[in-house]
Amino acid sequence: MASIGQIIFGSMIFLIVVISGLIIFILAIAFSVSQGIVESRSPSTVGNLAEDVVLDCRFLSNSGNEQFNDVSITWLKDALSGVVYEHKNKAAQLQGQNTQFQNRAQLFSDAISMGNASLLLRNVKLEDEGVFRCSVNAPKVSGTTSVNLRVAAFSAPTFTRRADGSLFAQANKWFPQPGVSWLSQSGQLLNSSTQFINNTAGIMRVASVLEDPVKEDDTYTCLIQNSLVKAIAEATVTANRVTERTYFIFSAASTKVSSLQLLFTVILVLSAIQ
C-alpha cells in the first residue's frame, strides 16, 4: 500500500504534467492567433501561353481587416534557385531574382497594405509551370501558401456558316491537343470532322466542321477540351449571321474530365439558354 509521501509525490507529478499541457496549449493558441492567415483562393491555376496570369495570395490578421504598413513578401518557385519576386521595406528587392522572371513579375503595390500579395506574371511560358510559394511577414501575420501553375494554350473559336450551309469553327491556339465534339440544342451528339494544324512550338490550330444539317434559329455547341481547359462555345444560327459566345472551365486535375461530366455541364448550359 502506497505511503502518504508517495501519494503526494504522484499527485504533484500529475499536476505538473497537466499544468505543462495547459501552458503548451495556451501558447499554441496564442501563437496561431498572432500568425494570422496566408492563403490562396486559387491554389491551382491555369495560365494561357503568351498571356498574363495572376497567382493569388492573400493575408489577413486574426484581429480582422486592417491596413498593413510593414510587409515583407517573397515569391519562390520549387526546384528553382533565386527568388521569383521579393518585396521588403516598401520596395522591390530584386537582387536575387532568377533571370527567368526578370521584367515579367510584379506585385499589385497599391493593394499590399490591404492584404493582397498576389503575383502578376506576364507572358506566360511553358517553363513557368510548377509550384510557386508565397511567404508573407507582417505585423500579426506570418505564413506561406502555395499555388500550382499549369500552362496551356487555349482560345475561343470563331464560327462561320459556309456556302453549302455547314457550320465551321476555328480556334487559333490550343495545347495540349484537345478533343472536339458538337452538340445540338437538346444535347444530342452530332457528326463532325476536325483537323489539327501545327503552328510553332507544338501549338495547334483547331478547324472543325459540323456535318449534320444546320437549322436557322437553333443553337449548336462546339466543345473543345484537353486535360486542363474546356471551352464551351455556343453558336446561334440566323438567316443573316452566326452569333457566338464561349465559356472556359479550368480543371485542377491532370486528367481529362469524363465525357459524362462534360455532357452534364453542357446540358445545364444549354437548358439555361432555352
Side-chain angles (χ1 to χ4, degrees), residues 48 51 153-157 170-174 204 224 229 231 246 248:
N48 196 357
E51 297 188 13
F154 53 93
S155 61
Q170 179 172 277
N172 288 326
K173 69 170 188 178
W174 275 84
M204 57 197 67
I224 308 176
V229 187
T246 299
F248 289 105

Side-chain angles (χ1 to χ4, degrees), residues 182-190 218-221 266 270 274:
W182 291 75
L183 297 177
S184 68
Q185 191 162 306
S186 62
Q188 180 183 358
L189 187 64
L190 302 175
D218 272 4
T219 297
Y220 299 89
T221 302
V266 173
L270 291 176
Q274 288 181 355

Side-chain angles (χ1 to χ4, degrees), residues 14-78:
F14 177 75
L15 286 173
I16 290 172
V17 171
V18 171
I19 292 171
S20 299
L22 286 173
I23 292 172
I24 293 172
F25 179 71
I26 292 170
L27 288 175
I29 292 176
F31 181 76
S32 64
V33 168
S34 68
Q35 295 309 291
I37 299 171
V38 179
E39 63 182 358
S40 175
R41 297 179 299 183
S42 302
S44 183
T45 299
V46 177
N48 196 357
L49 195 65
E51 297 188 13
D52 300 344
V53 67
V54 174
L55 306 185
D56 185 80
C57 179
R58 310 278 169 157
F59 58 97
L60 179 70
S61 71
N62 284 319
S63 60
N65 294 325
E66 60 183 84
Q67 295 282 320
F68 297 93
N69 293 318
D70 184 18
V71 183
S72 296
I73 301 169
T74 303
W75 278 90
L76 301 171
K77 184 173 183 285
D78 285 5

Side-chain angles (χ1 to χ4, degrees), residues 103-177:
N103 302 316
R104 296 177 54 227
Q106 69 180 72
L107 302 182
F108 298 91
S109 300
D110 294 340
I112 291 175
S113 62
M114 295 178 286
N116 188 345
S118 300
L119 180 78
L120 172 63
L121 184 59
R122 299 189 181 279
N123 188 26
V124 170
K125 305 176 186 296
L126 287 175
E127 57 264 31
D128 292 334
E129 188 168 270
V131 177
F132 290 75
R133 301 191 185 275
C134 169
S135 297
V136 177
N137 282 287
K140 302 180 182 179
V141 180
S142 179
T144 300
T145 190
S146 63
V147 179
N148 183 22
L149 175 64
R150 306 294 302 276
V151 178
F154 53 93
S155 61
T158 56
F159 293 90
T160 306
R161 192 173 184 185
R162 292 179 163 179
D164 61 2
S166 63
L167 192 58
F168 174 73
Q170 179 172 277
N172 288 326
K173 69 170 188 178
W174 275 84
F175 176 86
Q177 180 172 316

